[in-house]
Amino acid sequence: MAYVFLTPVALVMALLVFFPLVQGIAFSFTDMNQYNMGNAFSEPSYQFVGLENYRNVWADLVAADSTLRPILVQTAIWTFVNVFFHFTIGLGLALLLNRPIRGRTVYRLLLLVPWAVPSFISALAWRWMFNGSYGFFNLVLTELGLPPINWLGDPFWAMVAVIMTNVWLGVPFMMVTLLGGLQSIPRSLYEAAEIDGAGRWKQFWHITLPMLKPVATVATLLGIIWTFNMFNVIYLVTQGGPVQATEILVTFAYREAFQNWNFGMASTYGVIILSILLVLSAVYLRAMKAERVEGVMD
């Protein structure tokens, strides 16, 4: 009976996830492009090229004038900075909302607004706020007597702009997840620590963080995966500009597919993205498992 109930979900997953995944991996071994992909009037004529696309990626990566290497560096910076602020700000807000303060329900609802609004709407709204002439941030800077910032035209500030937008979008999920973890910690542990004379910092370091670690591990891993693949914010706020200053690997693969119409190479980048995320996930989970085993032995 269990398999009967699981069958509809398995079919949907096979159609929407596994089939496109296998198809994308297969395309990465071909030279598919707009000319040989086929259409209603002609048969596909793309050829199997083996590892040629992967060799081209490696050659570009090690070349002195590599176009892919800066993209990988920007992707790493984008992912690390965003997840860092997601976790630290989310944890801080979760600790505040876990305390008995007045209006706590209202604060929770307000802080969930960025998560409730569709990401493409939020990205477009933030793009207008970063407008050089009429944007909210430059108007505030002008009122304070400070020079306006070329948010979307300067490489450094463009990266700051997209990070600010994505932090605003990602903090609510981390906050809600960590808040659920905090509320699952038994109050008796803190009462025992207070009796032993432990202050708030020691309670946080020796009770809150260890008990919160399983939830934080899953939330951080999901945050890494989602941020690494966050296409909407980059494309809608800066479109990867100026001059690819905010381009990340997923938007780079999108351009290869739908601007250069090189679907074989774009599929190769997709496989590389999948491989990187699998490796990061495996390393992260292995490290957390080793730490838990060490903690049990201690």
Side-chain angles (χ1 to χ4, degrees):
M1 183 60 67
Y3 293 108
V4 172
F5 288 110
L6 287 173
T7 299
V9 178
L11 291 175
V12 172
M13 290 290 291
L15 181 63
L16 298 180
V17 178
F18 299 119
F19 175 72
L21 177 62
V22 174
Q23 189 178 49
I25 295 174
F27 287 160
S28 70
F29 298 103
T30 69
D31 62 349
M32 178 185 285
N33 55 46
Q34 62 177 330
Y35 302 108
N36 59 25
M37 64 181 294
N39 52 47
F41 305 101
S42 63
E43 293 294 327
S45 59
Y46 55 86
Q47 302 292 325
F48 177 79
V49 295
L51 298 176
E52 183 66 25
N53 291 331
Y54 294 93
R55 283 194 289 266
N56 291 336
V57 170
W58 177 253
D60 181 22
L61 189 61
V62 299
D65 56 346
S66 172
T67 57
L68 183 60
R69 193 165 57 244
I71 302 299
L72 290 175
V73 173
Q74 288 167 187
T75 304
I77 294 173
W78 159 262
T79 304
F80 174 79
V81 174
N82 275 289
V83 174
F84 173 79
F85 283 112
H86 286 167
F87 183 83
T88 53
I89 298 175
L91 178 59
L93 292 174
L95 290 171
L96 289 175
L97 294 177
N98 195 43
R99 302 176 62 183
I101 58 176
R102 293 184 58 183
R104 183 168 58 177
T105 303
V106 176
Y107 295 145
R108 288 180 181 178
L109 291 175
L110 291 176
L111 291 170
L112 284 175
V113 168
W115 197 20
V117 177
S119 61
F120 69 93
I121 295 178
S122 299
L124 292 174
W126 277 82
R127 179 181 174 87
W128 277 106
M129 288 194 291
F130 288 123
N131 184 275
S133 302
Y134 310 105
F136 171 77
F137 295 110
N138 277 351
L139 290 177
V140 171
L141 291 175
T142 302
E143 289 294 326
L144 295 175
L146 299 174
I149 295 174
N150 187 12
W151 291 100
L152 304 181
D154 181 86
F156 173 79
W157 289 110
M159 180 61 79
V160 172
V162 291
I163 288 175
M164 288 173 59
T165 304
N166 196 58
V167 167
W168 187 80
L169 285 169
V171 163
F173 166 77
M174 193 68 70
M175 178 195 71
V176 170
T177 305
L178 296 178
L179 181 59
L182 289 173
Q183 292 178 342
S184 67
I185 301 176
R187 180 60 192 169
S188 58
L189 296 177
Y190 294 102
E191 293 173 352
E194 290 175 357
I195 294 174
D196 291 338
R200 290 187 178 274
W201 173 249
K202 288 188 176 181
Q203 292 179 28
F204 173 77
W205 191 255
H206 296 287
I207 297 177
T208 303
L209 284 183
M211 297 294 291
L212 196 61
K213 191 171 292 183
V215 176
T217 300
V218 176
T220 303
L221 182 57
L222 288 174
I224 291 172
I225 294 172
W226 291 342
T227 304
F228 195 93
N229 286 319
M230 180 55 69
F231 173 84
N232 294 353
V233 172
I234 296 288
Y235 192 78
L236 294 176
V237 176
T238 64
Q239 294 186 346
V243 196
Q244 294 189 327
T246 58
E247 195 90 270
I248 60 175
L249 194 55
V250 67
T251 58
F252 188 71
Y254 172 85
R255 292 185 189 282
E256 191 67 25
F258 299 107
Q259 290 185 2
N260 299 334
W261 301 102
N262 191 347
F263 298 109
M265 185 60 71
S267 299
T268 304
Y269 290 134
V271 174
I272 292 173
I273 292 172
L274 175 64
S275 302
I276 292 173
L277 290 176
L278 288 176
V279 171
L280 288 176
S281 302
V283 171
Y284 189 76
L285 291 176
R286 187 179 181 87
M288 296 305 300
K289 182 179 179 180
E291 188 172 339
R292 286 198 298 269
V293 172
E294 183 179 350
V296 170
M297 294 178 63
D298 292 340

